[in-house]
């Protein structure tokens, strides 16, 4: 009973501020539907707070608007966006990329050097017998070649 009275009161209050034409529809809606509708009304009226509709802002951002009807701030915003786009495109054109084999090769050097050193530590004489600690030098030099190659990676 109390829920029905609350529901009727909410519907009547909404009817009074939205106008009488939607009163019949509001009486059949649930309170959650009424809440959603009032939020939608608030969001659409919030566009007017700044004097610019969302449609105009989206059109400016998409550059699908008549430029003679824009405010000076909107014109500057479009010009800045165009300048940034040109600058980024020019910087991308100036970069040179490495060939596709470059990354796998320097990764392979580092992994091979690591495996070389680990093999020597575990066996004590392999991968190349009779050179003893020089196996560590070979392993570390392979790792260093891989790290030096990373400095030229673009």
């Amino acid at each position: 009973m109390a829920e029905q009275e609350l529901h009727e009161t909410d519907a009547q209050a909404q009817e009074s501020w939205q106008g009488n034409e939607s009163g019949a529809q509001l009486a059949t809606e649930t309170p959650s539907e009424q809440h959603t509708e009032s939020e939608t009304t608030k969001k659409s009226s919030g566009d007017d707070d700044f004097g610019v509709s969302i449609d105009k802002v989206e059109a400016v951002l998409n550059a699908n608007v008549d430029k003679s009807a824009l405010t000076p701030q909107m014109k500057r915003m479009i010009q800045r966006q165009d300048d940034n786009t040109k600058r980024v495109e020019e910087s991308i054109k100036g970069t040179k990329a490495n060939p596709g084999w470059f990354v796998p090769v320097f990764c392979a050097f580092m992994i091979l050097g690591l495996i070389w050193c680990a093999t020597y530590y575990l066996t004590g004489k392999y991968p190349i017998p009779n050179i003893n600690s020089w196996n560590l030098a070979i392993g570390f030099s392979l790792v260093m070649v891989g790290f030096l190659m990373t400095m030229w990676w673009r």
Side-chain angles (χ1 to χ4, degrees):
M1 176 102 176
E3 289 178 13
Q4 185 178 7
E5 290 175 11
L6 179 62
H7 177 68
E8 289 173 4
T9 306
D10 286 345
Q12 290 169 354
Q14 251 186 353
E15 180 182 335
S16 67
W17 65 268
Q18 285 184 344
N20 292 333
E21 60 204 42
S22 62
Q25 178 187 0
L26 289 175
T28 60
E29 292 178 346
T30 63
S32 63
E33 290 173 345
Q34 293 171 2
H35 181 67
T36 306
E37 186 174 320
S38 66
E39 285 178 358
T40 306
T41 307
K42 288 178 186 176
K43 287 179 185 175
S44 64
S45 66
D47 295 343
D48 298 330
D49 293 343
F50 297 105
V52 178
S53 70
I54 294 295
D55 295 332
K56 274 190 174 182
V57 173
E58 287 177 355
V60 168
L61 293 175
N62 295 331
N64 294 334
V65 71
D66 181 24
K67 294 192 179 196
S68 63
L70 297 178
T71 63
Q73 293 85 2
M74 290 180 169
K75 289 179 183 178
R76 284 194 301 267
M77 183 175 66
I78 290 173
Q79 184 62 38
R80 268 187 256 136
Q81 184 65 34
D82 291 341
D83 292 343
N84 287 341
T85 303
K86 288 177 188 175
R87 185 174 42 92
V88 168
E89 288 174 355
E90 289 173 4
S91 67
I92 290 173
K93 288 178 186 175
T95 60
K96 297 177 184 175
N98 293 109
W101 55 265
F102 194 78
V103 173
V105 167
F106 78 70
C107 288
F109 270 120
M110 290 189 284
I111 292 170
L112 184 63
L114 178 67
I115 291 172
W116 195 289
C117 292
T119 304
Y120 175 71
Y121 271 121
L122 293 175
T123 63
K125 62 178 181 176
Y126 291 109
I128 300 176
N130 299 327
I131 63 169
N132 299 326
S133 295
W134 285 101
N135 279 314
L136 286 178
I138 293 170
F140 282 123
S141 57
L142 288 172
V143 170
M144 289 308 296
V145 167
F147 277 121
L148 289 174
M149 286 179 71
T150 61
M151 293 193 321
W152 291 288
W153 180 31
R154 290 183 217 126

